[in-house]
Amino acid sequence: MSDLDYVVSTGSAQVVDSFTAPDGTLYEAVASGSGTGIIKTVTNPDGTTTQTILNAQKGQRKGTRQSDGKFKNPASKRFRYNANKLQSEFANFKSAAEAAASSTETVGYTDANVVTGGSGFLKRDKASTVTLTDGAGNIIGTVGTNVGSDAFETQAARTLADEIININKSAINVLDDDKDDTEDDDKDDTEDTTDGSDGAGATGAGTTGLTA
């Protein structure tokens, strides 16, 4: 576990949004007064689940302690700030995930699609992002974050983009499995089902009408 995983496992942590991939993998955006992260839950063949925490990061700080002994930013205020920020970023992830899940084209990205944010106007931190495209060159979506250092943001954006690729792969695999099942059903429906009385000749011999 990362030393920051506690930010999504603390008692104040709440799920603020989620997405379920075609293969059943669940992505939950989780915020707390301490920070934010995404919990990925995979159901194993034996029915057990495996959880992985993606991009756990500290959120808004407590601030200075006031004369009344309370912090400038109490836990409830920090939670609202962290939750709103995470919801905005997860909305982009969810939009890209939905597009990737419905695409029959392979989705991916290159280093040219990775943008490191850095400081923007009035030193406001700009998000680091990855833009994903399909095999036809259509933009699937852009994912990223502006929480943390530039290095963390860039790696976090790549992590989210890699998950979008995994979602796309799982969707295509599910589609292929459904296609195979349909073809098998069609094959079964077209098999000869005659009752064996066809082809009776002068000698009274019949055929089964079945093929090996």
Side-chain angles (χ1 to χ4, degrees), residues 102-113:
S102 62
S103 176
T104 56
E105 297 278 348
T106 300
V107 171
Y109 68 91
T110 66
D111 288 343
N113 302 125

Side-chain angles (χ1 to χ4, degrees), residues 43-201:
T43 300
N44 303 311
D46 62 359
T48 60
T49 59
T50 301
Q51 288 190 333
T52 305
I53 297 177
L54 309 175
N55 299 349
Q57 182 67 6
K58 290 181 180 179
Q60 188 180 52
R61 298 181 182 278
K62 294 180 180 180
T64 56
R65 192 182 293 273
Q66 307 298 296
S67 58
D68 59 2
K70 297 180 180 179
F71 286 102
K72 180 181 179 181
N73 298 317
S76 58
K77 181 180 178 180
R78 298 197 308 274
F79 170 79
R80 288 194 300 271
Y81 177 88
N82 294 339
N84 288 337
K85 193 169 187 64
L86 178 60
Q87 281 178 313
S88 177
E89 294 178 354
F90 192 79
N92 293 331
F93 173 83
K94 190 173 182 177
S95 176
E98 290 172 343
S102 62
S103 176
T104 56
E105 297 278 348
T106 300
V107 171
Y109 68 91
T110 66
D111 288 343
N113 302 125
V114 180
V115 177
T116 299
S119 296
F121 180 64
L122 297 180
K123 296 185 178 180
R124 294 184 62 182
D125 187 24
K126 295 191 297 184
S128 296
T129 62
V130 175
T131 298
L132 297 106
T133 59
D134 63 18
N138 301 308
I139 293 178
I140 292 297
T142 299
V143 296
T145 181
N146 68 344
V147 177
S149 66
D150 288 349
F152 174 85
E153 289 177 1
T154 302
Q155 182 55 53
R158 286 181 178 272
T159 296
L160 295 178
D162 290 343
E163 292 301 328
I164 297 297
I165 291 174
N166 290 337
I167 290 168
N168 171 248
K169 288 179 179 178
S170 75
I172 291 176
N173 288 338
V174 169
L175 200 63
D176 288 343
D177 289 343
D178 288 345
K179 182 179 178 182
D180 290 342
D181 290 343
T182 300
E183 289 176 348
D184 289 341
D185 290 343
D186 291 343
K187 183 178 179 181
D188 291 341
D189 290 342
T190 56
E191 286 189 359
D192 192 345
T193 58
T194 54
D195 60 5
S197 60
D198 293 345

